[in-house]
Amino acid sequence: MDWDDERVPQSELAAKEIELFRETVRRVKRTMPFYAERLRDVDPDAIRTPEDIALVPTTNKADLRAQPYPSAIGVPLTDVMELHASSGTTGSAVVTGYTASDLQLWRTAMKRVLQRAGVHRGDIVHNAYGYGLFTGGLGFHYAALETGVTVLPISGGQTQRQVTMLRDLKATVLTCTPSYGQHIAEVMRQMGVAKDEMSLRVGVFGAEAWSQQMCDEIESEMGITALDVYGLAEIIGPGVASECAEGHKGLHVSEDLFYFEVIDPQTGKPVPDGTLGELVLTALRREASPVVRYRTGDITRVIPGSCECGRTTRRMDHILGRVDDMFTLRGVNLFPRDVESALLDMDALAPVYQLVLDRHQALDVLEVHVEPRETEAERGVLAAAVQRRLNEVLGVSVMVAVMDPLSIPRSEGKAVRVVDRRKLTYAR
Ligand SMILES: [Zn+2]
């Protein structure tokens, strides 16, 4: 199979993925003590269907942390060409190694990211991802080299200089985190640099979860198409999945390189396409740091149907949150974001809310606290409208309390969106 080809029939792709998964299991059991133990009862030859794969034990971040470098490297250390480390925002960083073949794998995956964004010879990539142990900078650097386009390795920071360079060197492609993209747009405004003084056409933003509103804002302020890219150091770095410019609706996963599944984070069972769950990834061709069924903790869903761009690789949705934010109401898994997106559509509400979970006579109850935008709003009518909307969107009935204006605590950092009083009850 041609690695650059994202147009092979899905059935052919699916068969290839299972074969590669089988080979991966066989290899890691042989080369890595951790997997020899964890996959002790798994017979690679018996893996024939996605259902068989779903029975293979998963791994998580704690498993990786429990194997300090170099115990999780599956090749002789002399074959390791590059080392990276995850940002380590929670707990210690995970070190990951790349052989020459792994680096080529990464370059291939990253080339696809630029191809999906419509980047071609003659383009100039202004790469404002941080260079260093963080995989963003070098990942996009390799992408540009592999695609054969000019790259400006400017890294992050010195934003006024970034704006001047963008204008003077006429970059056509911007790559950075979405929040930094927003900041560049803000500094452009402050410096009085108009978007039509720039030559930018497209931006590829990742390494952070970002909302549709943020995407719309970046697109209008910079006059570009803003695309999402997903990846993580534990698997390869950026390049696991990205949006195409034609469809601009969900991220194509490079399925022949990374096997992906979406599971119910509580039962561990696969969920149907279109249903939210936890993203699980297997690096299919990784040599130095292979990972089998890694639970990413990221919430997404498989987008059903095919994309208008003609690529046959399946798409996942933008990352909608973290598993840690999930709560369960009468057997239905819910995320604050589900409620948030329903509420943000309602103009009569202030953009704050709080979710209070409680238990009344052995029945779980969700009370959604909202605030009216106008003091004189008719609260009974508003509460009924919000309740109708939420019942419809969430598929489970909730209670709504319209609070006094400015009574819901405002965020000074990470907002407390969910108050779970059921846990207090258990503690008594
Ligand atoms: Zn597409």
Side-chain angles (χ1 to χ4, degrees):
M1 183 188 299
D2 177 0
W3 275 22
D4 282 346
D5 196 354
E6 278 195 274
R7 288 177 169 78
V8 295
Q10 177 61 227
S11 57
E12 200 180 312
L13 194 56
K16 181 73 184 167
E17 285 174 51
I18 291 172
E19 182 192 321
L20 287 167
F21 189 97
R22 200 159 46 224
E23 279 170 23
T24 303
V25 168
R26 203 174 281 134
R27 191 175 70 246
V28 297
K29 283 184 73 161
R30 195 177 62 237
T31 58
M32 301 173 78
F34 169 78
Y35 284 114
E37 168 65 23
R38 176 64 55 95
L39 306 182
R40 189 177 56 234
D41 300 327
V42 177
D43 173 10
D45 296 324
I47 299 173
R48 310 228 158 262
T49 63
E51 290 73 31
D52 296 334
I53 292 179
L55 297 174
V56 173
T58 56
T59 47
N60 60 24
K61 194 146 195 158
D63 293 324
L64 299 186
R65 285 207 192 105
Q67 308 168 70
Y69 177 83
S71 48
I73 299 287
V75 296
L77 291 184
T78 45
D79 289 346
V80 176
M81 298 289 108
E82 198 166 302
L83 290 169
H84 279 273
S86 65
S87 47
T89 43
T90 50
S92 58
V94 172
V95 175
T96 169
Y98 301 73
T99 62
S101 158
D102 291 336
L103 287 175
Q104 186 53 53
L105 166 72
W106 195 14
R107 287 169 72 122
T108 302
M110 287 306 295
K111 181 184 178 180
R112 287 186 193 169
V113 171
L114 291 189
Q115 278 175 338
R116 293 182 194 125
V119 176
H120 48 73
R121 269 183 88 81
D123 271 319
I124 301 174
V125 177
H126 181 104
N127 187 18
Y129 280 104
Y131 280 65
L133 286 183
F134 168 59
T135 48
L138 275 172
F140 275 91
H141 192 88
Y142 294 149
L145 297 183
E146 189 71 16
T147 312
V149 299
T150 311
V151 60
L152 182 76
I154 192 159
S155 198
Q158 300 190 59
T159 311
Q160 293 203 354
R161 182 160 164 261
Q162 302 255 1
V163 172
T164 311
M165 288 281 198
L166 276 166
R167 187 189 57 200
D168 296 350
L169 301 187
K170 301 190 176 357
T172 49
V173 184
L174 172 64
T175 55
C176 61
T177 60
S179 59
Y180 195 54
Q182 243 181 346
H183 185 55
I184 292 176
E186 183 179 48
V187 173
M188 272 169 64
R189 262 199 317 277
Q190 288 162 1
M191 292 170 67
V193 174
K195 62 184 171 191
D196 51 16
E197 291 177 63
M198 302 280 198
S199 306
L200 284 177
R201 184 181 76 244
V202 64
V204 187
F205 303 99
E208 283 172 355
W210 48 313
S211 62
Q212 187 58 46
Q213 287 91 329
M214 204 161 158
C215 176
D216 295 344
E217 193 185 310
I218 294 175
E219 292 198 324
S220 72
E221 297 238 341
M222 290 196 165
I224 61 173
T225 304
L227 303 175
D228 195 4
V229 56
Y230 176 80
L232 59 173
E234 292 88 334
I235 301 297
I236 191 83
V240 171
S242 73
E243 274 186 297
C244 63
E246 303 98 311
H248 199 349
K249 206 176 175 196
L251 296 82
H252 287 277
V253 181
S254 276
E255 294 182 77
D256 53 331
L257 313 181
F258 313 105
Y259 185 82
F260 86 111
E261 304 163 79
V262 179
I263 64 167
D264 181 317
Q266 298 207 311
T267 65
K269 297 214 167 72
V271 297
D273 287 2
T275 305
L276 284 181
E278 181 177 1
L279 178 66
V280 175
L281 287 168
T282 299
L284 289 175
R285 304 175 193 249
R286 190 89 186 267
E287 291 178 342
S289 296
V291 201
V292 175
R293 297 199 79 217
Y294 182 67
R295 293 186 62 153
T296 62
D298 288 324
I299 297 298
T300 185
R301 67 186 123 205
V302 176
I303 298 180
S306 54
C307 183
E308 60 192 74
C309 71
R311 288 178 181 83
T312 50
T313 41
R314 289 180 302 154
R315 289 166 300 160
M316 60 178 233
D317 208 339
H318 307 281
I319 298 303
L320 301 174
R322 298 278 305 160
V323 169
D324 316 336
D325 299 332
M326 191 187 82
F327 59 94
T328 307
L329 182 68
R330 302 196 288 277
V332 179
N333 293 339
L334 295 171
F335 300 92
R337 192 183 160 123
D338 295 330
V339 179
E340 185 175 313
S341 57
L343 295 177
L344 282 178
D345 288 348
M346 304 191 71
D347 294 334
L349 298 178
V352 286
Y353 66 92
Q354 199 157 43
L355 310 178
V356 180
L357 283 158
D358 212 339
R359 181 159 293 167
H360 294 170
Q361 293 165 343
L363 191 66
D364 289 339
V365 177
L366 173 63
E367 201 171 281
V368 180
H369 292 183
V370 295
E371 274 181 22
R373 204 179 278 276
E374 312 286 346
T375 341
E376 61 275 14
E378 179 46 66
R379 295 196 189 183
V381 176
L382 188 55
V386 173
Q387 188 164 32
R388 255 197 322 274
R389 171 95 181 120
L390 288 176
N391 291 351
E392 182 185 295
V393 172
L394 304 178
V396 52
S397 67
V398 301
M399 288 168 23
V400 172
V402 178
M403 317 298 279
D404 290 331
L406 302 176
S407 63
I408 296 175
R410 262 57 179 173
S411 152
E412 293 170 7
K414 198 168 156 53
V416 179
R417 297 298 197 194
V418 184
V419 179
D420 198 342
R421 290 198 182 132
R422 298 176 301 183
K423 287 179 183 156
L424 302 177
T425 314
Y426 295 141
R428 263 184 234 135

